[in-house]
Amino acid sequence: MDASTYRRVLPQPTLASAEFWSSGADGRLRIARCADCGSYMHPPLPMCRTCRSRNIAMTPVSGKATVIAFTINMQQWLPTFPPPYVVAIVAIDEDQGARLTTNIVNCDPADVHIGMRVRVLFEKAEEVYLPLFEPDPEAVGEVGPIPEPREYRKALRPMVSSRKFEEKVAITGVGQSRVGRRLMVDPVSLTVEACLNAIEDAGLSVEEIDGLATYPGPLPGGLSEGGVMAVEEALQLRPTWVNGASDTPGQIGSIISAMLAVASGLCRHVLCFRTVWESSYTALVRAGRWKASSERATGMLEWRLPFGAASAANWIACHASHYFHRYGGDRETLGWIALTARANAMRNPEAVYRDPLTMEDYLSARMISTPFGLYDCDVPVDGSVAVIVSAVETVRDRPKPAVLVEAVGTQIMERLSWDQDTLTHLPQTLGPSAHLWSRTDLRPEDVDVAELYDGFTFNALSWLEALGFCEFGGAREFIDEGRGIALDGRLPLNTHGGQLSAGRLHGFGFVREAVLQLRGEATGRQVENARVAVVSAGGGVPSGAMLLRRE
């Protein structure tokens, strides 16, 4: 690798992490350890994850570990970090519950495998010592221990009341703006377009909207139009309640928060919106018309970006590798999800990609981050979706049938981490799914249509199994080469084409499609007699789900 072109994005050491990033100065890896129970934890925590002691200290460890998940990244995410390279999750020998996302170096990427024994070495960059791992020459041919799945259901909380807030609300309107690649349209304009369409769909006036909710609020990188402030200025609503945040149960957490506001009596009609303009943003950056920041990695990226794990494609691909190691199967299992999405998109005139897609096309497409190829990844677009949550007593005044809310799934039962807990499935699919079914008498077999988040094909597979439509490891048989998830299959999946073909509208597109299906308005792709729909959102942590039904 040419040193003149190779440069990592460095982490910004914090008051909590500085000792970790400097610990390699003497060649020793140090991990936070509880002095009372002996548990290790990474990243460093102020309180023990096991016994809640606060007697925590950075402690030298052997530096030996086992690869428990990995991906070979083939995509140039960062200008000074050329592929291919291996991103891996390794578990230290001292404690399988302490894991690092890192790079495996000094070997052919094709030789990396789950169970591989590795040892630490450090790469110094400025004042930072980055822990990388290489094959352990003292353990050639050995297979290290692989963590077993944790029993997450023990954390399931019972309903605190027999009275459900879901019974007090309904979805009365949905709207969508233009959706496309590189529209070069002001994102606030797209939001207004979607909002006005939703208000009209619900048979309301702008003046009747008394609440605003959005995900994620102001966020750079083409992921937001500016949040509540920008949209309130544009629409001049004078709401009694507003909410905009990213720490919610997935993107639909903003819709759930709107339900809570309506159920409490604070509002009667809350306008929820989600806008992205990633496609235009990327084009502006590439053209030099938008100056992207190149500061050090902070937040959750502090632990990923220095190792070239710049995309959720890398993080989720690691989980997919662990899934296939544990349960078997191959890329074709994921391929049928992509092909089904495209087949449905061909029936949807709003979808971005509607050309036919074959398994040969899927398998021969360029690799992004193993096992993900081009068609395993959703499509960045510009567009906006709006959803109106209303008090249930108002539905008789609406021009279209209301969609009722049967249950939501929001509980966190897994660690809010990409690498420290669930590896068999996408993180935060298991907990919300279990919570959803605890709030209803309906069961998976009652669901007529599933609109499941598919930022990547593996996301949708994880939700299928987490929600109980098949057993863990049973997705391949359930999908049945696309027959099981087709429009006329046992569980029609992502009937509008999902984010894989219709475009990445970050969760809200699934809510709109579920509403159209339950109303019988999904022209050209309508599932016959659809009465119950499940929707999930969140391409990772945290996430959420909701169960909707026809009035």
Side-chain angles (χ1 to χ4, degrees):
M1 188 177 293
D2 186 353
S4 65
T5 61
Y6 167 72
R7 187 175 70 254
R8 296 176 184 270
V9 176
L10 296 183
Q12 174 56 63
T14 67
L15 295 174
S17 67
E19 190 174 354
F20 172 82
W21 292 118
S22 64
S23 69
D26 62 356
R28 299 292 303 276
L29 178 65
R30 287 172 172 79
I31 301 292
R33 180 176 183 267
C34 174
D36 291 329
C37 75
S39 294
Y40 290 83
M41 61 212 78
H42 182 76
L45 296 172
M47 185 168 70
C48 177
R49 62 182 173 87
T50 302
C51 73
R52 300 189 186 277
S53 167
R54 299 191 66 185
N55 191 8
I56 309 296
M58 296 299 291
T59 305
V61 294
S62 66
K64 295 180 180 291
T66 299
V67 174
I68 57 175
F70 76 98
T71 180
I72 303 173
N73 177 68
M74 308 298 291
Q75 175 75 15
Q76 180 90 46
W77 302 107
L78 303 168
T80 59
F81 202 144
Y85 53 85
V86 177
V87 175
I89 301 173
V90 302
I92 66 171
D93 279 5
E94 288 76 6
D95 189 335
Q96 287 187 331
R99 308 165 185 174
L100 290 79
T101 292
T102 183
N103 298 130
I104 307 299
V105 297
N106 297 336
C107 69
D108 188 327
D111 291 336
V112 178
H113 58 274
I114 291 176
M116 184 179 189
R117 301 286 290 136
V118 290
R119 69 180 183 182
V120 74
L121 71 159
F122 291 94
E123 180 178 304
K124 186 177 186 297
E126 299 182 22
E127 84 286 9
V128 171
Y129 291 82
L130 295 163
L132 312 180
F133 285 78
E134 65 180 356
D136 185 350
E138 299 178 356
V140 176
E142 289 185 18
V143 177
I146 310 300
E148 290 297 316
R150 186 174 58 80
E151 181 44 69
Y152 65 95
R153 287 180 178 271
K154 291 181 179 178
L156 179 62
R157 298 179 183 271
M159 288 179 59
V160 298
S161 171
S162 60
R163 300 175 62 186
K164 293 168 51 179
F165 77 89
E166 293 99 326
E167 297 172 347
K168 299 181 179 181
V169 301
I171 295 177
T172 56
V174 290
Q176 183 172 288
S177 72
R178 291 160 285 173
V179 175
R181 300 275 284 163
R182 295 176 288 278
L183 294 179
M184 295 301 176
V185 175
D186 168 39
V188 177
S189 297
L190 295 175
T191 309
V192 169
E193 187 178 325
C195 289
L196 293 178
N197 287 339
I199 291 170
E200 180 181 6
D201 187 62
L204 295 167
S205 66
V206 172
E207 290 74 21
E208 290 176 283
I209 300 297
D210 54 3
L212 274 178
T214 188
Y215 173 98
L219 201 68
L223 292 172
S224 166
E225 73 290 271
V228 166
M229 288 180 62
V231 175
E232 163 54 20
E233 271 296 288
L235 293 175
Q236 297 287 305
L237 299 176
R238 304 297 181 260
T240 59
W241 174 84
V242 299
N243 182 69
S246 57
D247 282 341
T248 67
Q251 297 87 343
I252 60 174
S254 57
I255 299 176
I256 295 171
S257 71
M259 295 174 185
L260 291 166
V262 170
S264 72
L266 186 58
C267 311
R268 287 175 68 79
H269 304 290
V270 178
L271 177 61
C272 310
F273 58 93
R274 175 79 188 99
T275 303
V276 290
W277 56 291
E278 293 175 274
S279 187
S280 288
Y281 171 81
T282 300
L284 291 170
V285 170
R286 288 175 177 170
R289 295 168 58 190
W290 192 285
K291 304 301 180 184
S293 172
S294 58
E295 300 292 329
R296 286 194 171 195
T298 60
M300 109 177 150
L301 291 179
E302 176 185 353
W303 308 103
R304 289 167 182 78
L305 206 53
F307 306 102
S311 168
N314 306 132
W315 318 337
I316 297 170
C318 286
H319 291 261
S321 76
H322 189 95
Y323 175 93
F324 285 131
H325 174 81
R326 182 171 293 277
Y327 297 117
D330 54 30
R331 291 192 63 222
E332 285 197 12
T333 304
L334 303 177
W336 290 115
I337 294 175
L339 266 60
T340 299
R342 182 60 61 88
N344 293 342
M346 291 171 65
R347 298 169 172 263
N348 177 12
E350 298 173 338
V352 173
Y353 289 140
R354 301 192 297 275
D355 294 332
L357 182 67
T358 67
M359 184 58 75
E360 181 180 359
D361 296 331
Y362 168 83
L363 292 174
S364 62
R366 65 182 175 91
M367 293 303 297
I368 302 299
S369 194
T370 61
F372 297 156
L374 181 64
Y375 296 116
D376 289 293
C377 309
D378 62 8
V379 184
V381 295
D382 305 331
S384 181
V385 177
V387 175
I388 293 179
V389 175
S390 299
V392 71
E393 63 267 20
T394 71
V395 300
R396 289 191 177 89
D397 300 326
R398 307 278 67 81
K400 294 184 177 181
V403 170
L404 303 180
V405 183
E406 176 64 25
V408 301
T410 59
Q411 190 187 340
I412 295 170
M413 300 183 210
E414 308 152 75
R415 291 184 64 181
L416 288 179
S417 170
W418 283 96
D419 53 11
Q420 301 301 310
D421 195 357
T422 301
L423 288 175
T424 55
H425 296 78
L426 183 76
Q428 292 298 303
T429 55
L430 307 181
S433 296
H435 186 224
L436 177 82
W437 297 119
S438 75
R439 296 184 62 81
T440 176
D441 292 329
L442 297 181
R443 301 269 65 90
E445 55 268 26
D446 297 313
V447 176
D448 301 304
V449 60
E451 309 295 346
L452 305 181
Y453 198 90
D454 61 350
F456 301 91
T457 49
F458 184 70
N459 296 39
L461 182 152
S462 294
W463 281 110
L464 279 172
E465 294 190 359
L467 285 163
F469 294 113
C470 56
E471 64 183 1
F472 286 6
R476 181 176 186 172
E477 181 178 353
F478 182 86
I479 291 169
D480 189 21
E481 297 186 343
R483 291 181 287 268
I485 56 175
L487 287 178
D488 58 353
R490 70 185 83 178
L491 182 70
L493 176 68
N494 295 348
T495 50
H496 60 315
Q499 298 186 151
L500 296 172
S501 285
R504 182 199 298 160
L505 291 170
H506 246 190
F508 268 50
F510 297 108
V511 178
R512 176 176 179 260
E513 177 66 12
V515 170
L516 295 181
Q517 287 286 344
L518 295 179
R519 286 179 176 174
E521 296 177 354
T523 304
R525 59 188 188 277
Q526 180 64 51
V527 174
E528 185 177 357
N529 196 32
R531 301 189 63 84
V532 178
V534 67
V535 179
S536 68
V541 296
S543 298
M546 62 174 66
L547 196 63
L548 306 175
R549 60 183 174 87
R550 198 161 72 193
E551 185 180 13

